[in-house]
Amino acid sequence: VSSATGLGVSAGTAKAPGVDDGQAIEMAETLCAAEAAQLCGSEPTDGSGGGSIGCLLRLSAGVGAQAGGISAGCEKVLDAARAQLLAQSLPDPRVGAACAAPLRSGVCRHALRTGGASVPLVHRTMRCLRSPLVRAALPHDCRREVTRLMMGEARNISLDVYLYHACALELSAPPCAGLAGGAGARRACLQRSQDRSRLAAGNSSGAWPMSRRCSRALSASAIERSDDIRFHAPLLDACAAERVRFCVDLHPGDGRVIGCLLQHRGHRDTAPACRQQLHVYEQRAMADFRLDAPLVRACSSDIL
């Protein structure tokens, strides 16, 4: 078992030489088309369960290739695809251990084909696990560990490895340089800088103050965190009393708590600081529909 990955990869499972991330899954889809049609014809392809390749990965892992009706040739390319999903060191070993089974079954198999070479596979896999639609369908232990990791990242941006490196220049210069970590202040500073950058670009009033790489990484991170108030540290802290007063019975996720707070923002007992953070959240969601978690979930089959 590989101690580096924490994912239970056997010593005999290795990446196929000369095969990159995308090629492995494409080979599996091509060479296993007959098995996919026969055994996984009704498998959803929305990414929540890994699609037909995820179905075949689960079948081959659970009952063995031949017993499950999977040919030897298909099983070989499935092994290569499985190795691509597992032969990586996730940034948190507890996430790696808890999420080994869904990763092995192909829940993030689309991560092999998206993001491009500029985004390492390990970060594409973590982006997949963080995404609201995939996260909601994860087994309890995996979802709990991913949530724990994201709550820590919300308060300390340096724990969000890819975003931290993508925005290293912006974090080392004013206005974000020197801000204390631990309360989400540096992430909030980047978001304000991104808002100013978009405004400047829209008005054609000067140079883009934030690098494209940082802006893209920040937007991706915001989309991943759009559905749960626990991933918005300034909002969570500013509206702590209001959450207890108005929304105590609501479980975080699917935008439920944030939606409840928005409904009560005009209440006389809602503090100005909470109203301000809700306004910031709503303005960003109006600028980018992908940050409106209930809308994205309701329209997931219509969004390309």
Side-chain angles (χ1 to χ4, degrees):
V1 176
S2 169
S3 59
T5 64
L7 294 176
V9 184
S10 66
T13 304
K15 293 174 71 173
V19 176
D20 66 23
D21 301 337
Q23 288 173 330
I25 198 68
E26 288 172 3
M27 288 171 60
E29 289 180 333
T30 299
L31 297 179
C32 298
E35 286 88 345
Q38 179 182 356
L39 302 173
C40 306
S42 61
E43 185 76 9
T45 57
D46 60 0
S48 61
S52 60
I53 296 303
C55 166
L56 291 176
L57 286 168
R58 291 193 294 275
L59 287 175
S60 64
V63 299
Q66 304 307 310
I70 300 173
S71 68
C74 175
E75 178 66 14
K76 184 175 180 179
V77 294
L78 286 176
D79 282 342
R82 183 181 294 112
Q84 295 285 7
L85 286 166
L86 296 176
Q88 53 188 290
S89 179
L90 295 184
D92 188 296
R94 286 171 56 182
V95 172
C99 298
L103 284 174
R104 190 178 297 114
S105 72
V107 68
C108 287
R109 62 97 167 85
H110 62 284
L112 296 173
R113 302 168 57 183
T114 58
S118 62
V119 182
L121 175 60
V122 59
H123 296 304
R124 280 181 272 158
T125 302
M126 285 307 305
R127 183 177 295 174
C128 162
L129 293 175
R130 290 188 186 102
S131 66
L133 292 178
V134 172
R135 183 167 18 94
L138 292 173
H140 173 74
D141 288 349
C142 176
R143 185 170 65 252
R144 180 192 63 212
E145 292 302 331
V146 172
T147 298
R148 175 191 57 79
L149 178 67
M150 294 178 70
M151 289 172 63
E153 293 170 343
R155 294 193 171 277
N156 186 355
I157 196 173
S158 63
L159 298 178
D160 192 339
V161 179
Y162 183 72
L163 177 60
Y164 184 72
H165 287 294
C167 298
L169 180 62
E170 287 78 4
L171 288 169
S172 64
C176 301
L179 290 178
R186 291 187 291 176
R187 183 184 292 269
C189 178
L190 288 176
Q191 289 172 330
R192 290 192 297 271
S193 295
Q194 185 183 51
D195 293 340
R196 288 194 294 269
S197 296
R198 287 171 172 166
L199 182 61
N203 294 335
S204 301
S205 58
W208 185 266
M210 174 176 281
S211 69
R212 294 290 200 278
R213 183 187 180 202
C214 177
S215 184
R216 284 195 296 264
L218 189 61
S219 293
S221 181
I223 292 167
E224 294 162 1
R225 299 164 190 282
S226 61
D227 66 319
D228 195 323
I229 191 172
R230 295 173 296 180
F231 306 150
H232 299 267
L235 177 60
L236 179 66
D237 293 343
C239 298
E242 289 78 6
R243 181 184 176 190
V244 172
R245 183 176 297 116
F246 303 122
C247 316
V248 68
D249 294 329
L250 295 177
H251 184 73
D254 286 340
R256 285 184 290 266
V257 175
I258 297 175
C260 170
L261 291 171
L262 285 169
Q263 289 177 358
H264 290 88
R265 63 182 164 180
H267 194 280
R268 64 177 183 274
D269 291 331
T270 298
C274 177
R275 287 179 185 157
Q276 173 60 25
Q277 287 298 325
L278 288 169
H279 175 73
V280 170
Y281 175 88
E282 190 173 46
Q283 288 296 111
R284 291 200 179 107
M286 290 173 63
D288 188 343
F289 76 89
R290 296 173 298 176
L291 302 180
D292 188 333
L295 175 64
V296 170
R297 179 169 289 279
C299 301
S300 60
S301 61
D302 302 294
I303 298 173
L304 300 178

